[in-house]
């Protein structure tokens, strides 16, 4: 990028009249004007920006303004938006039809490629969203163990199925309380919510009712309350408890899968879960997700076994083509090393910019995932994440948007870097952040 372009990117994006009008229209027909609540600007204020197109590292709005994108459609765009290889593969698939409702060869090709990256996993079932993957993995765990109870961690997100829409009350361990109207108490009661990174708290639950616990479901690196890495030995300890009690360990790698490393975080920490949930990256921008595991578990899924699960559009050829092309790009030489380097440079740039402005900021990153919180304390669990300064995040969010950088509109989200981001893009984001921190201090 030339200096002129850099200045253009840094210019104050004054008004977005087309977005304002489009959102007002959207609110007439869509609840809250959006089709997923994370897209609303509820926690940062202002009006959501309506997008016309995405390409590489950039996102363009319907007012014709361009931003450097650090959301990447919430993770899938690891190779950059609309990568020519992915678009070509999708075009090629589309020519042969959109959905067969019958087996296609690419289902097997993508399954084989994904499973080659997950040691101990023999089979998988494709579904259409991360929500479905987690919901189905939990059903399988309950079916295979004949038990009802599951453990989840506060601040971990596993989609919007009833049994996962629960939160902890106060305290390290609580029976789930519904976080949404419409979730039955009886359902929530089968979910026990435990503080993330708190091994003692998990132990207590097992001491009380270990033989009733079908599964522990966990984000091996938490990415839905900022970015929180597991405490040393935490995943190993969960593995040990599950082995002792005959409980199914489910890694929800919908976000971390093929994002933090080839395969997922399990290949970084060396702990093998019994089931893995995937989504986001494996569909390369199409609605594709999956749950995977050893034959002894996956062969209990219908029609091979008695645990029912189905999907009209599951494994459709267009999604499979997008996923295959995306994962083939991820297999390129040095792909994750490059992504990691870009992401850590961005994290360091944020940290330095904040330090220079005298602002307390905690940053962390892994692979192509970056988190930052306006806090003077390390962030280890949901309570810590809540205690961060979210008003300050809201001001930072708008300061960045006005400087041409697209962040998720919530202080609880991670940022995603793609292989299409150049060093110049990263420099421009750091410059924007440094200037935003100065303005805020
Ligand atoms: C995004 C996400 C989900 C839900 O996936 P959807 O496709 O939005 O249903 C589940 N678990 C984790 C860890 C996620 O990040």
């Amino acid at each position: 990028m030339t200096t002129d372009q850099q200045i253009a990117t840094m210019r104050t994006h004054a008004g977005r009249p087309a977005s304002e009008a489009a959102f007002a229209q959207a609110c007439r027909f869509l609840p809250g004007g959006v089709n997923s609540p994370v897209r609303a600007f509820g926690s940062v204020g202002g009006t959501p920006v309506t997008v016309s197109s995405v390409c590489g590292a950039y996102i363009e709005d319907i007012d014709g303004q361009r931003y450097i994108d650090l959301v990447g459609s919430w993770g899938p765009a690891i190779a950059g938006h609309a990568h020519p290889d992915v678009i070509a593969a999708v075009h090629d698939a589309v020519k042969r039809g959109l959905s067969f409702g019958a087996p296609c060869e690419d289902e097997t090709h993508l399954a084989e490629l994904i499973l080659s990256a997950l040691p101990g996993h023999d089979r998988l079932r494709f579904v259409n969203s991360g929500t479905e993957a987690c919901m189905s993995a939990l059903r399988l765990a309950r079916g295979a163990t004949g038990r009802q109870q599951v453990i989840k961690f506060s601040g971990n997100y596993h989609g919007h199925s009833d049994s996962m829409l629960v939160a902890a009350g106060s305290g390290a361990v609580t029976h789930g309380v519904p976080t949404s109207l419409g979730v039955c108490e009886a359902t929530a009661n089968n979910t026990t919510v435990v503080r993330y990174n708190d091994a003692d708290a998990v132990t207590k639950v097992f001491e009380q009712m270990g033989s009733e616990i079908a599964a522990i479901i966990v984000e091996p690196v938490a990415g839905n309350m900022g970015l929180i890495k597991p405490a040393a030995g935490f995943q190993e300890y969960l593995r040990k408890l599950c082995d002792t009690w005959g409980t199914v360990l489910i890694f929800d790698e919908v976000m971390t899968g093929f994002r933090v490393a080839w395969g997922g975080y399990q290949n970084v920490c060396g702990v093998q879960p019994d089931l893995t949930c995937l989504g986001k990256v494996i569909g390369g921008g199409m609605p594709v997700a999956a749950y995977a595991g050893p034959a002894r578990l996956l062969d209990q899924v219908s029609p091979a076994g008695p645990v029912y699960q189905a999907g009209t559009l599951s494994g459709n050829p267009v999604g499979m083509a997008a996923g295959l092309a995306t994962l083939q790009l991820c297999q390129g030489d040095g792909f994750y090393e490059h992504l990691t380097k870009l992401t850590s440079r961005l994290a360091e740039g944020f940290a330095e910019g904040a330090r220079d402005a005298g602002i307390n900021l905690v940053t962390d990153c892994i692979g192509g995932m970056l988190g930052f919180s306006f806090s003077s304390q390390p962030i280890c669990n949901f309570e810590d994440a809540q205690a961060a300064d979210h008003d300050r995040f809201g001001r930072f969010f708008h300061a960045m948007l006005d400087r041409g950088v697209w962040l998720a509109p919530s202080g609880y989200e991670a940022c995603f870097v793609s292989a299409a981001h150049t060093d110049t893009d990263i420099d421009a984001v750091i410059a924007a952040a440094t200037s935003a921190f100065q303005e805020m201090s």
Side-chain angles (χ1 to χ4, degrees), residues 8 55 78 89 155 164 192 225 232 255 262 275 345 355 420 422 440:
C55 187
I78 196 164
M164 293 291 102
T192 297
M225 48 176 169
M255 184 183 287
W262 178 248
L275 293 174
R345 208 159 66 73
R355 205 163 40 235
T422 61
M440 289 162 56

Side-chain angles (χ1 to χ4, degrees), residues 74 128-132 134 157-160 219 223-224 252-256 279-280 289:
W74 302 84
N128 303 292
S129 68
T131 295
E132 264 187 275
C134 296
Y157 180 67
H158 306 292
H160 64 86
E219 284 184 68
N224 287 288
D252 177 358
E253 300 229 43
V254 170
M255 184 183 287
T256 52
K280 299 193 169 113

Side-chain angles (χ1 to χ4, degrees), residues 217-258:
I217 186 164
V218 61
E219 284 184 68
V221 172
N224 287 288
M225 48 176 169
L227 188 166
I228 303 182
K229 286 183 185 156
F234 185 58
Q235 307 300 353
E236 286 82 350
Y237 187 67
L238 298 182
R239 177 70 277 174
K240 211 176 83 187
L241 273 176
C242 285
D243 287 341
T244 305
W245 291 93
T247 295
V248 176
L249 179 60
I250 305 174
F251 274 8
D252 177 358
E253 300 229 43
V254 170
M255 184 183 287
T256 52
F258 296 92

